[in-house]
Coordinates of all heavy atoms in Angstrom, one line a residue:
M1 N 34.2 -13.9 -30.3 CA 35.4 -13.2 -29.8 C 35.8 -13.8 -28.5 O 37.0 -14.1 -28.3 CB 35.0 -11.7 -29.6 CG 36.1 -10.9 -29.1 SD 35.7 -9.2 -29.0 CE 36.7 -8.7 -27.6
F2 N 34.9 -14.0 -27.6 CA 35.3 -14.6 -26.3 C 35.3 -16.1 -26.5 O 34.4 -16.8 -26.9 CB 34.3 -14.3 -25.1 CG 34.5 -12.9 -24.7 CD1 33.5 -12.0 -24.8 CD2 35.7 -12.5 -24.0 CE1 33.7 -10.7 -24.3 CE2 35.8 -11.3 -23.5 CZ 34.8 -10.3 -23.6
T3 N 36.4 -16.7 -26.1 CA 36.5 -18.1 -26.1 C 36.9 -18.5 -24.7 O 37.3 -17.7 -23.8 CB 37.7 -18.6 -27.1 OG1 38.9 -18.1 -26.7 CG2 37.4 -18.1 -28.5
T4 N 36.8 -19.8 -24.4 CA 37.2 -20.3 -23.1 C 38.7 -20.0 -22.8 O 39.1 -19.8 -21.7 CB 36.9 -21.8 -23.0 OG1 37.5 -22.5 -24.0 CG2 35.4 -22.0 -23.0
R5 N 39.5 -20.2 -23.8 CA 41.0 -19.9 -23.6 C 41.3 -18.5 -23.2 O 42.1 -18.3 -22.3 CB 41.7 -20.2 -25.0 CG 43.2 -20.2 -24.8 CD 43.7 -21.6 -24.5 NE 44.6 -21.8 -23.5 CZ 44.4 -22.4 -22.3 NH1 43.3 -22.9 -21.9 NH2 45.4 -22.6 -21.5
L6 N 40.5 -17.5 -23.9 CA 40.7 -16.1 -23.4 C 40.3 -15.9 -22.0 O 40.9 -15.2 -21.3 CB 39.9 -15.2 -24.4 CG 40.0 -13.8 -24.1 CD1 41.3 -13.1 -24.4 CD2 38.9 -13.0 -24.9
S7 N 39.2 -16.5 -21.6 CA 38.7 -16.4 -20.3 C 39.7 -17.0 -19.2 O 39.9 -16.4 -18.2 CB 37.4 -17.1 -20.1 OG 36.4 -16.5 -21.0
V8 N 40.2 -18.1 -19.6 CA 41.2 -18.8 -18.6 C 42.5 -18.0 -18.6 O 43.1 -17.8 -17.5 CB 41.5 -20.2 -19.1 CG1 42.6 -20.8 -18.3 CG2 40.2 -21.0 -19.0
D9 N 42.9 -17.5 -19.7 CA 44.2 -16.8 -19.7 C 44.2 -15.3 -19.1 O 45.1 -14.8 -18.6 CB 44.8 -16.6 -21.2 CG 45.2 -18.0 -21.7 OD1 45.5 -18.9 -20.9 OD2 45.3 -18.1 -23.0
N10 N 42.9 -14.7 -19.1 CA 42.8 -13.3 -18.7 C 41.7 -13.2 -17.7 O 40.6 -12.6 -18.0 CB 42.5 -12.4 -19.8 CG 43.7 -12.4 -20.8 OD1 44.8 -12.2 -20.5 ND2 43.3 -12.6 -22.1
P11 N 41.8 -13.8 -16.5 CA 40.6 -13.7 -15.5 C 40.3 -12.3 -15.1 O 39.2 -12.0 -14.8 CB 41.1 -14.6 -14.3 CG 42.6 -14.6 -14.5 CD 42.9 -14.5 -15.9
V12 N 41.3 -11.5 -14.9 CA 41.1 -10.1 -14.5 C 40.3 -9.3 -15.6 O 39.3 -8.6 -15.2 CB 42.4 -9.3 -14.3 CG1 42.2 -7.9 -14.0 CG2 43.2 -10.0 -13.2
F13 N 40.6 -9.5 -16.8 CA 39.8 -8.9 -17.9 C 38.4 -9.4 -17.9 O 37.4 -8.6 -18.0 CB 40.5 -9.2 -19.3 CG 39.7 -8.7 -20.5 CD1 39.6 -7.3 -20.7 CD2 39.0 -9.6 -21.3 CE1 38.9 -6.9 -21.8 CE2 38.3 -9.1 -22.3 CZ 38.2 -7.7 -22.6
V14 N 38.1 -10.6 -17.7 CA 36.8 -11.2 -17.7 C 36.0 -10.7 -16.5 O 34.8 -10.3 -16.7 CB 36.9 -12.7 -17.8 CG1 35.4 -13.3 -17.5 CG2 37.4 -13.3 -19.0
N15 N 36.6 -10.6 -15.4 CA 35.9 -10.0 -14.2 C 35.6 -8.6 -14.4 O 34.6 -8.1 -14.0 CB 36.8 -10.2 -13.0 CG 36.8 -11.7 -12.5 OD1 35.8 -12.4 -12.8 ND2 37.9 -12.1 -11.8
L16 N 36.6 -7.8 -15.1 CA 36.3 -6.4 -15.4 C 35.1 -6.2 -16.3 O 34.3 -5.4 -16.1 CB 37.6 -5.8 -15.9 CG 37.5 -4.3 -16.2 CD1 37.3 -3.5 -14.9 CD2 38.8 -3.8 -16.9
V17 N 35.0 -7.1 -17.3 CA 33.9 -7.0 -18.3 C 32.6 -7.3 -17.5 O 31.6 -6.7 -17.8 CB 34.1 -8.0 -19.4 CG1 32.8 -8.2 -20.3 CG2 35.3 -7.6 -20.3
V18 N 32.5 -8.3 -16.6 CA 31.4 -8.6 -15.9 C 30.9 -7.4 -15.0 O 29.8 -7.1 -14.9 CB 31.6 -9.9 -15.0 CG1 30.4 -10.1 -14.0 CG2 31.7 -11.1 -16.0
V19 N 31.9 -6.8 -14.3 CA 31.7 -5.7 -13.5 C 31.1 -4.5 -14.3 O 30.1 -3.8 -13.9 CB 32.9 -5.3 -12.7 CG1 32.7 -3.9 -12.0 CG2 33.2 -6.4 -11.7
V20 N 31.7 -4.2 -15.4 CA 31.2 -3.2 -16.3 C 29.7 -3.4 -16.8 O 28.9 -2.6 -16.8 CB 32.1 -2.9 -17.6 CG1 31.5 -2.1 -18.6 CG2 33.5 -2.4 -17.0
I21 N 29.5 -4.7 -17.2 CA 28.1 -5.0 -17.6 C 27.1 -4.8 -16.5 O 26.0 -4.3 -16.7 CB 28.1 -6.5 -18.2 CG1 28.8 -6.5 -19.5 CG2 26.7 -7.0 -18.4 CD1 29.0 -7.9 -20.1
L22 N 27.5 -5.3 -15.3 CA 26.6 -5.1 -14.1 C 26.4 -3.7 -13.8 O 25.2 -3.2 -13.5 CB 27.1 -5.8 -12.9 CG 27.1 -7.4 -13.0 CD1 27.8 -7.9 -11.7 CD2 25.6 -7.8 -12.9
A23 N 27.4 -2.9 -13.9 CA 27.3 -1.5 -13.6 C 26.4 -0.8 -14.6 O 25.6 0.1 -14.2 CB 28.7 -0.8 -13.5
L24 N 26.6 -1.1 -15.9 CA 25.7 -0.5 -16.9 C 24.3 -0.9 -16.7 O 23.4 -0.1 -16.9 CB 26.3 -0.8 -18.3 CG 27.6 -0.2 -18.7 CD1 28.0 -0.8 -20.0 CD2 27.4 1.3 -18.8
G25 N 24.1 -2.1 -16.4 CA 22.7 -2.6 -16.2 C 22.0 -1.9 -15.0 O 20.9 -1.5 -15.1
I26 N 22.8 -1.9 -13.9 CA 22.2 -1.2 -12.7 C 22.0 0.3 -13.0 O 20.9 0.9 -12.6 CB 23.2 -1.4 -11.5 CG1 23.1 -2.8 -11.0 CG2 22.8 -0.5 -10.3 CD1 24.1 -3.2 -10.0
G27 N 22.9 1.0 -13.7 CA 22.7 2.4 -14.0 C 21.5 2.6 -14.9 O 20.8 3.5 -14.8
L28 N 21.3 1.7 -15.9 CA 20.2 1.8 -16.8 C 18.9 1.6 -16.0 O 17.9 2.3 -16.2 CB 20.3 0.7 -17.9 CG 19.1 0.8 -18.9 CD1 19.2 2.0 -19.7 CD2 19.2 -0.5 -19.7
V29 N 18.8 0.7 -15.1 CA 17.6 0.4 -14.3 C 17.3 1.6 -13.4 O 16.1 2.1 -13.3 CB 17.8 -0.9 -13.5 CG1 16.7 -1.1 -12.5 CG2 17.7 -2.1 -14.4
V30 N 18.3 2.1 -12.7 CA 18.1 3.2 -11.8 C 17.6 4.4 -12.5 O 16.7 5.2 -12.0 CB 19.4 3.5 -11.0 CG1 19.3 4.8 -10.3 CG2 19.7 2.3 -10.0
T31 N 18.1 4.7 -13.7 CA 17.8 6.0 -14.4 C 16.4 5.9 -15.1 O 15.7 6.9 -15.3 CB 18.8 6.4 -15.4 OG1 19.1 5.3 -16.3 CG2 20.1 6.7 -14.6
T32 N 16.0 4.7 -15.5 CA 14.8 4.6 -16.2 C 13.6 4.0 -15.4 O 12.5 4.1 -15.9 CB 15.0 3.6 -17.4 OG1 15.4 2.4 -17.0 CG2 16.0 4.2 -18.4
M33 N 13.8 3.5 -14.3 CA 12.7 2.9 -13.5 C 11.8 4.0 -13.0 O 12.2 5.0 -12.4 CB 13.3 2.1 -12.4 CG 12.2 1.3 -11.5 SD 12.7 0.5 -10.0 CE 14.1 -0.4 -10.6
N34 N 10.5 3.7 -13.1 CA 9.5 4.7 -12.5 C 9.5 4.4 -11.0 O 9.3 3.3 -10.6 CB 8.1 4.4 -13.1 CG 8.0 4.9 -14.5 OD1 8.7 5.8 -14.9 ND2 7.1 4.4 -15.2
R35 N 9.7 5.5 -10.2 CA 9.6 5.4 -8.8 C 8.9 6.6 -8.2 O 9.2 7.7 -8.7 CB 11.0 5.1 -8.2 CG 11.9 6.2 -8.6 CD 13.4 5.8 -8.2 NE 14.3 6.8 -8.5 CZ 14.9 7.0 -9.7 NH1 14.5 6.2 -10.6 NH2 15.7 8.0 -9.9
E36 N 8.2 6.4 -7.1 CA 7.6 7.5 -6.5 C 7.7 7.3 -5.0 O 7.4 6.2 -4.5 CB 6.1 7.6 -6.9 CG 5.9 7.9 -8.3 CD 4.4 8.0 -8.6 OE1 3.6 8.2 -7.7 OE2 4.0 7.8 -9.8
I37 N 8.2 8.3 -4.3 CA 8.3 8.2 -2.9 C 6.9 8.3 -2.2 O 6.5 7.6 -1.4 CB 9.2 9.3 -2.4 CG1 10.7 9.0 -2.9 CG2 9.2 9.3 -0.8 CD1 11.7 10.1 -2.5
F38 N 6.1 9.3 -2.7 CA 4.8 9.5 -2.3 C 3.9 9.4 -3.4 O 3.5 10.4 -4.1 CB 4.6 10.8 -1.5 CG 5.5 11.0 -0.3 CD1 6.6 11.8 -0.4 CD2 5.2 10.3 0.8 CE1 7.4 11.9 0.8 CE2 6.0 10.4 1.9 CZ 7.1 11.2 1.9
P39 N 3.4 8.2 -3.8 CA 2.6 8.1 -5.0 C 1.2 8.8 -4.8 O 0.7 8.8 -3.7 CB 2.4 6.5 -5.1 CG 2.6 6.0 -3.8 CD 3.6 6.9 -3.1
E40 N 0.7 9.3 -5.9 CA -0.6 9.9 -5.8 C -1.7 8.9 -5.9 O -1.7 8.0 -6.7 CB -0.7 11.0 -6.9 CG 0.1 12.1 -6.8 CD -0.1 13.2 -8.0 OE1 -1.2 13.2 -8.4 OE2 0.9 13.8 -8.3
F41 N -2.7 9.1 -5.1 CA -3.9 8.2 -5.1 C -5.1 9.0 -4.7 O -4.9 10.0 -4.0 CB -3.7 6.9 -4.2 CG -3.4 7.3 -2.8 CD1 -4.5 7.3 -1.9 CD2 -2.2 7.5 -2.4 CE1 -4.3 7.6 -0.6 CE2 -2.0 7.9 -1.0 CZ -3.0 7.8 -0.1
S42 N -6.2 8.6 -5.0 CA -7.4 9.3 -4.6 C -8.3 8.4 -3.8 O -8.5 7.2 -4.1 CB -8.2 9.8 -5.8 OG -8.7 8.7 -6.6
L43 N -8.8 8.9 -2.7 CA -9.7 8.2 -1.8 C -11.1 8.5 -2.2 O -11.5 9.7 -2.0 CB -9.4 8.4 -0.4 CG -8.1 8.0 0.2 CD1 -7.9 8.5 1.6 CD2 -8.0 6.5 0.2
D44 N -11.9 7.6 -2.6 CA -13.4 7.9 -2.8 C -14.2 7.2 -1.7 O -15.4 7.4 -1.6 CB -13.8 7.6 -4.2 CG -13.5 6.1 -4.6 OD1 -12.9 5.5 -3.8 OD2 -14.0 5.8 -5.7
M45 N -13.5 6.2 -1.0 CA -14.3 5.4 0.0 C -13.3 5.1 1.1 O -12.2 4.8 0.9 CB -14.8 4.2 -0.7 CG -15.9 3.5 0.1 SD -16.5 2.1 -0.9 CE -17.7 2.8 -1.8
I46 N -13.9 5.2 2.3 CA -13.1 4.9 3.5 C -13.9 3.9 4.3 O -15.1 4.1 4.5 CB -12.7 6.1 4.4 CG1 -11.9 7.2 3.6 CG2 -12.1 5.8 5.7 CD1 -11.7 8.5 4.3
S47 N -13.3 2.9 4.9 CA -13.9 1.9 5.7 C -13.3 2.0 7.1 O -12.1 1.9 7.3 CB -13.8 0.5 5.1 OG -14.4 -0.4 6.0
V48 N -14.2 2.1 8.1 CA -13.8 2.1 9.5 C -14.3 0.9 10.2 O -15.5 0.7 10.3 CB -14.3 3.4 10.3 CG1 -13.9 3.4 11.7 CG2 -13.9 4.6 9.6
T49 N -13.4 0.0 10.7 CA -13.8 -1.2 11.3 C -13.4 -1.2 12.8 O -12.3 -0.9 13.1 CB -13.1 -2.4 10.5 OG1 -13.4 -2.4 9.2 CG2 -13.6 -3.7 11.2
T50 N -14.4 -1.5 13.6 CA -14.2 -1.5 15.1 C -14.5 -2.9 15.6 O -15.6 -3.4 15.3 CB -15.0 -0.4 15.8 OG1 -14.8 0.8 15.1 CG2 -14.6 -0.3 17.2
V51 N -13.6 -3.4 16.4 CA -13.8 -4.8 17.0 C -14.0 -4.6 18.5 O -13.2 -3.9 19.1 CB -12.7 -5.7 16.6 CG1 -12.9 -7.1 17.3 CG2 -12.5 -5.9 15.2
F52 N -15.0 -5.2 19.0 CA -15.3 -5.3 20.5 C -15.7 -6.7 20.8 O -16.9 -7.0 20.7 CB -16.3 -4.3 20.8 CG -16.6 -4.1 22.3 CD1 -15.7 -4.4 23.3 CD2 -17.8 -3.6 22.8 CE1 -15.9 -4.2 24.6 CE2 -18.1 -3.5 24.1 CZ -17.1 -3.7 25.0
Q53 N -14.8 -7.5 21.2 CA -15.0 -8.9 21.5 C -16.2 -9.2 22.4 O -16.3 -8.5 23.5 CB -13.8 -9.6 22.0 CG -12.6 -9.7 21.1 CD -12.8 -10.6 19.9 OE1 -13.6 -11.5 20.0 NE2 -12.0 -10.4 18.9
G54 N -17.1 -10.1 22.1 CA -18.1 -10.5 22.9 C -19.4 -9.6 22.9 O -20.3 -9.9 23.7
A55 N -19.3 -8.5 22.2 CA -20.5 -7.6 22.2 C -21.5 -8.0 21.2 O -21.2 -8.5 20.1 CB -20.1 -6.2 21.9
S56 N -22.8 -7.9 21.6 CA -23.9 -8.3 20.7 C -24.1 -7.2 19.6 O -23.6 -6.1 19.8 CB -25.2 -8.4 21.5 OG -25.6 -7.2 22.0
P57 N -24.8 -7.5 18.6 CA -25.0 -6.5 17.5 C -25.7 -5.2 18.1 O -25.3 -4.1 17.7 CB -25.9 -7.2 16.5 CG -25.6 -8.6 16.7 CD -25.3 -8.8 18.1
E58 N -26.6 -5.4 19.0 CA -27.3 -4.2 19.6 C -26.3 -3.4 20.4 O -26.4 -2.1 20.4 CB -28.5 -4.7 20.5 CG -29.6 -5.3 19.8 CD -29.3 -6.8 19.4 OE1 -28.4 -7.5 20.1 OE2 -30.0 -7.4 18.5
E59 N -25.5 -4.0 21.2 CA -24.5 -3.3 22.0 C -23.5 -2.6 21.0 O -23.1 -1.4 21.3 CB -23.7 -4.2 22.9 CG -24.5 -4.8 24.0 CD -23.7 -5.8 24.8 OE1 -22.9 -6.6 24.2 OE2 -23.8 -5.8 26.1
M60 N -23.1 -3.2 20.0 CA -22.2 -2.6 19.0 C -22.8 -1.4 18.4 O -22.2 -0.3 18.3 CB -21.8 -3.5 17.9 CG -20.8 -4.6 18.3 SD -19.3 -4.1 19.0 CE -18.5 -3.2 17.6
E61 N -24.1 -1.5 18.0 CA -24.8 -0.3 17.4 C -24.9 0.8 18.5 O -24.6 2.0 18.1 CB -26.2 -0.8 17.1 CG -27.1 0.3 16.4 CD -26.8 0.4 15.0 OE1 -26.2 -0.5 14.4 OE2 -27.0 1.5 14.4
K62 N -25.2 0.5 19.7 CA -25.5 1.6 20.7 C -24.1 2.1 21.2 O -24.0 3.4 21.3 CB -26.3 1.0 21.9 CG -26.7 2.0 22.9 CD -27.6 1.4 23.9 CE -26.8 1.1 25.1 NZ -27.6 0.5 26.2
L63 N -23.2 1.3 21.5 CA -21.9 1.8 22.1 C -20.9 2.3 21.1 O -20.1 3.2 21.5 CB -21.3 0.7 22.9 CG -22.1 0.2 24.1 CD1 -21.4 -1.1 24.7 CD2 -22.3 1.3 25.1
I64 N -20.9 1.8 19.9 CA -19.8 2.1 19.0 C -20.4 2.9 17.7 O -20.0 4.0 17.4 CB -19.0 0.9 18.5 CG1 -18.5 0.1 19.7 CG2 -17.9 1.3 17.6 CD1 -17.4 0.7 20.4
T65 N -21.2 2.2 16.9 CA -21.6 2.7 15.7 C -22.2 4.0 15.7 O -21.9 4.9 14.9 CB -22.5 1.6 15.0 OG1 -21.9 0.3 15.0 CG2 -22.8 2.0 13.5
I66 N -23.3 4.2 16.5 CA -24.0 5.5 16.5 C -23.1 6.6 17.0 O -23.1 7.7 16.4 CB -25.3 5.3 17.4 CG1 -26.2 4.3 16.8 CG2 -25.9 6.7 17.7 CD1 -27.5 4.1 17.7
K67 N -22.3 6.4 17.9 CA -21.4 7.4 18.4 C -20.4 7.8 17.3 O -20.1 9.0 17.1 CB -20.6 7.0 19.7 CG -21.6 6.9 20.9 CD -20.8 6.5 22.1 CE -21.8 6.4 23.3 NZ -21.2 6.2 24.6
L68 N -19.8 6.8 16.6 CA -18.9 7.2 15.5 C -19.6 7.9 14.4 O -19.1 8.9 13.8 CB -18.2 5.9 15.0 CG -17.1 5.3 15.8 CD1 -16.7 4.0 15.2 CD2 -16.0 6.2 16.0
E69 N -20.8 7.5 14.1 CA -21.6 8.2 13.0 C -21.9 9.6 13.4 O -21.8 10.4 12.5 CB -22.9 7.4 12.7 CG -22.8 6.1 12.0 CD -24.1 5.4 11.8 OE1 -25.1 5.8 12.5 OE2 -24.2 4.5 10.9
D70 N -22.2 9.8 14.6 CA -22.5 11.2 15.1 C -21.2 12.1 14.9 O -21.3 13.3 14.5 CB -23.0 11.2 16.5 CG -24.4 10.6 16.7 OD1 -25.1 10.5 15.6 OD2 -24.8 10.3 17.8
E71 N -20.0 11.5 15.2 CA -18.8 12.3 15.2 C -18.4 12.5 13.7 O -18.0 13.6 13.3 CB -17.7 11.6 15.9 CG -17.9 11.6 17.4 CD -17.9 13.1 18.0 OE1 -17.1 13.9 17.5 OE2 -18.7 13.2 18.9
I72 N -18.6 11.4 12.9 CA -18.2 11.5 11.5 C -19.1 12.5 10.7 O -18.7 13.1 9.7 CB -18.2 10.1 10.9 CG1 -17.0 9.3 11.5 CG2 -18.0 10.2 9.4 CD1 -17.1 7.8 11.1
D73 N -20.3 12.6 11.1 CA -21.3 13.4 10.4 C -20.9 14.9 10.4 O -21.3 15.6 9.5 CB -22.7 13.2 11.1 CG -23.8 13.7 10.2 OD1 -23.7 13.6 9.0 OD2 -24.9 14.1 10.7
N74 N -20.0 15.3 11.3 CA -19.6 16.7 11.4 C -18.4 17.0 10.5 O -18.0 18.1 10.3 CB -19.2 17.0 12.9 CG -20.4 16.9 13.8 OD1 -21.5 17.1 13.4 ND2 -20.1 16.6 15.0
V75 N -17.9 16.0 9.8 CA -16.7 16.1 9.0 C -17.2 16.5 7.6 O -18.1 16.0 7.1 CB -15.9 14.8 8.9 CG1 -14.8 14.9 7.9 CG2 -15.5 14.4 10.3
D76 N -16.5 17.6 7.0 CA -16.8 18.1 5.7 C -16.3 17.1 4.6 O -15.3 16.4 4.8 CB -16.3 19.4 5.4 CG -16.9 20.5 6.3 OD1 -18.1 20.3 6.7 OD2 -16.2 21.5 6.6
G77 N -17.0 17.1 3.5 CA -16.5 16.3 2.4 C -17.0 14.9 2.3 O -16.6 14.1 1.5
I78 N -17.9 14.5 3.2 CA -18.5 13.1 3.2 C -19.8 13.2 2.5 O -20.7 14.0 2.9 CB -18.6 12.6 4.6 CG1 -17.2 12.4 5.2 CG2 -19.3 11.3 4.6 CD1 -17.2 12.0 6.6
D79 N -20.0 12.3 1.5 CA -21.2 12.3 0.7 C -22.3 11.4 1.4 O -23.4 11.8 1.5 CB -20.9 11.7 -0.7 CG -22.0 11.9 -1.6 OD1 -22.8 12.9 -1.4 OD2 -22.1 11.2 -2.7
S80 N -21.9 10.2 1.8 CA -22.9 9.3 2.5 C -22.1 8.4 3.6 O -20.9 8.2 3.4 CB -23.6 8.5 1.5 OG -22.7 7.6 0.9
I81 N -22.9 8.0 4.5 CA -22.4 7.1 5.5 C -23.2 5.8 5.6 O -24.5 5.9 5.7 CB -22.4 7.8 7.0 CG1 -21.5 9.0 6.9 CG2 -21.9 6.8 8.0 CD1 -21.7 9.9 8.2
E82 N -22.6 4.7 5.5 CA -23.4 3.4 5.6 C -22.7 2.6 6.8 O -21.5 2.6 6.8 CB -23.3 2.6 4.3 CG -24.0 3.3 3.1 CD -23.8 2.5 1.9 OE1 -23.4 1.3 2.0 OE2 -24.1 3.0 0.8
S83 N -23.5 2.0 7.6 CA -22.9 1.2 8.7 C -23.6 -0.1 8.8 O -24.7 -0.3 8.4 CB -23.0 2.0 9.9 OG -24.4 2.2 10.3
E84 N -22.8 -1.0 9.5 CA -23.4 -2.4 9.7 C -22.8 -2.9 11.0 O -21.5 -2.8 11.2 CB -22.9 -3.3 8.6 CG -23.4 -4.7 8.8 CD -23.0 -5.7 7.6 OE1 -22.6 -5.2 6.6 OE2 -22.9 -6.9 7.9
S85 N -23.6 -3.3 11.9 CA -23.2 -3.8 13.2 C -23.4 -5.3 13.3 O -24.6 -5.7 13.0 CB -23.8 -3.1 14.4 OG -23.5 -1.7 14.3
S86 N -22.5 -6.1 13.6 CA -22.7 -7.5 13.8 C -22.0 -7.9 15.1 O -21.6 -7.0 15.9 CB -22.0 -8.3 12.7 OG -20.7 -8.0 12.6
E87 N -22.0 -9.1 15.5 CA -21.5 -9.5 16.8 C -20.0 -9.3 16.9 O -19.2 -9.9 16.2 CB -21.8 -11.0 17.0 CG -21.5 -11.5 18.4 CD -22.0 -12.9 18.7 OE1 -23.0 -13.2 18.1 OE2 -21.4 -13.5 19.5
G88 N -19.7 -8.4 17.8 CA -18.3 -8.1 18.0 C -17.6 -7.2 17.0 O -16.5 -6.9 17.1
M89 N -18.4 -6.6 16.0 CA -17.7 -5.8 15.0 C -18.7 -4.8 14.4 O -19.9 -5.1 14.3 CB -17.3 -6.7 13.8 CG -16.5 -5.9 12.8 SD -15.9 -6.8 11.4 CE -15.5 -8.5 11.9
S90 N -18.2 -3.7 14.1 CA -18.9 -2.5 13.5 C -18.1 -2.1 12.3 O -16.9 -1.8 12.4 CB -19.1 -1.4 14.5 OG -19.5 -0.2 13.9
V91 N -18.8 -1.9 11.2 CA -18.2 -1.5 9.9 C -18.9 -0.3 9.4 O -20.1 -0.3 9.2 CB -18.1 -2.6 8.9 CG1 -17.5 -2.0 7.6 CG2 -17.4 -3.8 9.3
I92 N -18.2 0.8 9.3 CA -18.8 2.1 8.8 C -18.1 2.4 7.5 O -16.8 2.5 7.4 CB -18.6 3.2 9.8 CG1 -19.3 2.9 11.1 CG2 -19.2 4.5 9.2 CD1 -19.1 3.9 12.2
T93 N -18.8 2.6 6.4 CA -18.3 2.9 5.1 C -18.6 4.4 4.8 O -19.8 4.7 4.8 CB -18.8 2.0 4.0 OG1 -18.5 0.6 4.4 CG2 -18.2 2.2 2.7
L94 N -17.6 5.1 4.4 CA -17.8 6.5 4.1 C -17.5 6.7 2.7 O -16.5 6.3 2.1 CB -16.9 7.4 4.9 CG -16.8 7.2 6.4 CD1 -15.7 8.0 7.0 CD2 -18.1 7.6 7.1
K95 N -18.5 7.4 2.0 CA -18.3 7.7 0.5 C -18.0 9.2 0.5 O -18.8 10.0 1.0 CB -19.5 7.3 -0.3 CG -19.7 5.9 -0.4 CD -20.9 5.5 -1.3 CE -21.1 4.1 -1.3 NZ -22.3 3.6 -2.1
L96 N -16.9 9.5 -0.1 CA -16.4 10.9 -0.1 C -16.9 11.6 -1.4 O -17.1 11.0 -2.4 CB -14.9 11.0 0.0 CG -14.2 10.3 1.2 CD1 -12.8 10.4 1.1 CD2 -14.8 10.9 2.5
Q97 N -16.9 13.0 -1.3 CA -17.4 13.7 -2.4 C -16.3 13.8 -3.5 O -15.1 13.8 -3.2 CB -17.8 15.2 -2.0 CG -19.0 15.2 -1.1 CD -19.2 16.6 -0.6 OE1 -18.4 17.5 -0.6 NE2 -20.4 16.8 0.0

């Protein structure tokens, strides 16, 4: 149906067809695309990482890790707490109920 001669003779019609096809395509995508503003997700594990440049593992344990574990221990819904202190970094992993 469309030939090059039709396109050359009727540029307004061809542009109108392109605009209609684009509008229909965008309308179809907008109405059928799955989208969530606040997607649902479940947290079963939380990791808390603390960085303290230049601190030894013993200092990290004493100054950061133990204090955070004591505070986190009072929070309801925590199944277990695992921690690791290394040079300049403390990582605490919480497993939730």
Side-chain angles (χ1 to χ4, degrees):
M1 180 178 150
F2 283 115
T3 64
T4 54
R5 187 94 225 112
L6 178 69
S7 299
V8 170
D9 291 340
N10 299 309
V12 175
F13 175 71
V14 173
N15 287 332
L16 184 62
V17 169
V18 169
V19 169
V20 169
I21 290 173
L22 286 174
L24 290 174
I26 291 171
L28 181 68
V29 167
V30 167
T31 58
T32 60
M33 182 188 310
N34 289 336
R35 59 191 179 277
E36 295 182 22
I37 295 174
F38 299 107
E40 291 184 28
F41 60 94
S42 63
L43 293 174
D44 58 350
M45 196 177 273
I46 299 174
S47 179
V48 179
T49 304
T50 309
V51 177
F52 186 26
Q53 294 288 340
S56 68
E58 294 81 17
E59 289 175 321
M60 289 301 295
E61 182 80 24
K62 186 173 102 179
L63 296 174
I64 307 286
T65 306
I66 292 175
K67 291 182 180 182
L68 285 175
E69 284 178 347
D70 291 341
E71 292 297 322
I72 291 171
D73 199 30
N74 297 328
V75 177
D76 293 334
I78 296 177
D79 195 25
S80 67
I81 301 173
E82 296 177 12
S83 62
E84 179 182 339
S85 296
S86 60
E87 188 167 334
M89 187 181 325
S90 167
V91 178
I92 301 173
T93 304
L94 311 170
K95 292 183 183 174
L96 304 177
Q97 293 175 344

